[in-house]
PDB file of all heavy atoms in Angstrom:
ATOM      1  N   PRO A 165      -4.339 -10.153  11.094  1.00 98.00           N
ATOM      2  CA  PRO A 165      -3.021  -9.553  10.883  1.00 98.00           C
ATOM      3  C   PRO A 165      -1.986 -10.060  11.885  1.00 98.00           C
ATOM      4  O   PRO A 165      -2.334 -10.463  12.991  1.00 98.00           O
ATOM      5  CB  PRO A 165      -3.277  -8.056  11.083  1.00 98.00           C
ATOM      6  CG  PRO A 165      -4.528  -7.973  11.887  1.00 98.00           C
ATOM      7  CD  PRO A 165      -5.334  -9.198  11.569  1.00 98.00           C
ATOM      8  N   THR A 166      -0.725 -10.034  11.486  1.00 97.00           N
ATOM      9  CA  THR A 166       0.370 -10.325  12.406  1.00 97.00           C
ATOM     10  C   THR A 166       0.531  -9.178  13.399  1.00 97.00           C
ATOM     11  O   THR A 166       0.825  -9.379  14.565  1.00 97.00           O
ATOM     12  CB  THR A 166       1.696 -10.474  11.622  1.00 97.00           C
ATOM     13  OG1 THR A 166       1.481 -11.267  10.468  1.00 97.00           O
ATOM     14  CG2 THR A 166       2.758 -11.128  12.485  1.00 97.00           C
ATOM     15  N   PHE A 167       0.366  -7.964  12.891  1.00 98.00           N
ATOM     16  CA  PHE A 167       0.433  -6.779  13.749  1.00 98.00           C
ATOM     17  C   PHE A 167      -0.375  -5.663  13.106  1.00 98.00           C
ATOM     18  O   PHE A 167      -0.722  -5.747  11.915  1.00 98.00           O
ATOM     19  CB  PHE A 167       1.892  -6.341  13.995  1.00 98.00           C
ATOM     20  CG  PHE A 167       2.603  -5.852  12.761  1.00 98.00           C
ATOM     21  CD1 PHE A 167       2.560  -4.513  12.381  1.00 98.00           C
ATOM     22  CD2 PHE A 167       3.328  -6.735  11.970  1.00 98.00           C
ATOM     23  CE1 PHE A 167       3.216  -4.079  11.237  1.00 98.00           C
ATOM     24  CE2 PHE A 167       3.988  -6.305  10.827  1.00 98.00           C
ATOM     25  CZ  PHE A 167       3.936  -4.972  10.466  1.00 98.00           C
ATOM     26  N   VAL A 168      -0.681  -4.656  13.879  1.00 98.00           N
ATOM     27  CA  VAL A 168      -1.341  -3.472  13.328  1.00 98.00           C
ATOM     28  C   VAL A 168      -0.514  -2.239  13.690  1.00 98.00           C
ATOM     29  O   VAL A 168       0.263  -2.267  14.640  1.00 98.00           O
ATOM     30  CB  VAL A 168      -2.792  -3.309  13.844  1.00 98.00           C
ATOM     31  CG1 VAL A 168      -3.643  -4.522  13.476  1.00 98.00           C
ATOM     32  CG2 VAL A 168      -2.825  -3.053  15.345  1.00 98.00           C
ATOM     33  N   VAL A 169      -0.689  -1.188  12.898  1.00 98.00           N
ATOM     34  CA  VAL A 169      -0.008   0.081  13.165  1.00 98.00           C
ATOM     35  C   VAL A 169      -1.060   1.098  13.599  1.00 98.00           C
ATOM     36  O   VAL A 169      -2.073   1.274  12.911  1.00 98.00           O
ATOM     37  CB  VAL A 169       0.745   0.585  11.917  1.00 98.00           C
ATOM     38  CG1 VAL A 169       1.319   1.976  12.156  1.00 98.00           C
ATOM     39  CG2 VAL A 169       1.845  -0.395  11.520  1.00 98.00           C
ATOM     40  N   ASP A 170      -0.808   1.738  14.716  1.00 98.00           N
ATOM     41  CA  ASP A 170      -1.716   2.750  15.249  1.00 98.00           C
ATOM     42  C   ASP A 170      -1.640   4.004  14.372  1.00 98.00           C
ATOM     43  O   ASP A 170      -0.600   4.658  14.298  1.00 98.00           O
ATOM     44  CB  ASP A 170      -1.305   3.087  16.696  1.00 98.00           C
ATOM     45  CG  ASP A 170      -2.238   4.097  17.348  1.00 98.00           C
ATOM     46  OD1 ASP A 170      -3.196   4.565  16.687  1.00 98.00           O
ATOM     47  OD2 ASP A 170      -2.006   4.436  18.532  1.00 98.00           O
ATOM     48  N   ILE A 171      -2.742   4.310  13.687  1.00 98.00           N
ATOM     49  CA  ILE A 171      -2.760   5.475  12.791  1.00 98.00           C
ATOM     50  C   ILE A 171      -3.710   6.553  13.304  1.00 98.00           C
ATOM     51  O   ILE A 171      -4.106   7.446  12.541  1.00 98.00           O
ATOM     52  CB  ILE A 171      -3.154   5.071  11.349  1.00 98.00           C
ATOM     53  CG1 ILE A 171      -4.582   4.482  11.307  1.00 98.00           C
ATOM     54  CG2 ILE A 171      -2.162   4.082  10.758  1.00 98.00           C
ATOM     55  CD1 ILE A 171      -5.241   4.572   9.948  1.00 98.00           C
ATOM     56  N   THR A 172      -4.073   6.475  14.575  1.00 98.00           N
ATOM     57  CA  THR A 172      -5.098   7.367  15.131  1.00 98.00           C
ATOM     58  C   THR A 172      -4.889   8.846  14.780  1.00 98.00           C
ATOM     59  O   THR A 172      -5.830   9.495  14.317  1.00 98.00           O
ATOM     60  CB  THR A 172      -5.195   7.175  16.656  1.00 98.00           C
ATOM     61  OG1 THR A 172      -5.438   5.785  16.912  1.00 98.00           O
ATOM     62  CG2 THR A 172      -6.328   8.007  17.244  1.00 98.00           C
ATOM     63  N   PRO A 173      -3.667   9.395  14.936  1.00 98.00           N
ATOM     64  CA  PRO A 173      -3.518  10.831  14.633  1.00 98.00           C
ATOM     65  C   PRO A 173      -3.659  11.154  13.151  1.00 98.00           C
ATOM     66  O   PRO A 173      -3.791  12.315  12.780  1.00 98.00           O
ATOM     67  CB  PRO A 173      -2.085  11.150  15.110  1.00 98.00           C
ATOM     68  CG  PRO A 173      -1.629   9.976  15.891  1.00 98.00           C
ATOM     69  CD  PRO A 173      -2.399   8.805  15.405  1.00 98.00           C
ATOM     70  N   HIS A 174      -3.630  10.143  12.296  1.00 98.00           N
ATOM     71  CA  HIS A 174      -3.555  10.376  10.849  1.00 98.00           C
ATOM     72  C   HIS A 174      -4.804   9.920  10.099  1.00 98.00           C
ATOM     73  O   HIS A 174      -4.838   9.983   8.867  1.00 98.00           O
ATOM     74  CB  HIS A 174      -2.336   9.660  10.276  1.00 98.00           C
ATOM     75  CG  HIS A 174      -1.061  10.007  10.964  1.00 98.00           C
ATOM     76  ND1 HIS A 174      -0.461  11.242  10.853  1.00 98.00           N
ATOM     77  CD2 HIS A 174      -0.278   9.286  11.818  1.00 98.00           C
ATOM     78  CE1 HIS A 174       0.642  11.261  11.576  1.00 98.00           C
ATOM     79  NE2 HIS A 174       0.771  10.096  12.176  1.00 98.00           N
TER      80      HIS A 174
END
Side-chain angles (χ1 to χ4, degrees):
T166 315
F167 66 89
V168 301
V169 174
D170 182 359
I171 62 157
T172 305
H174 306 290

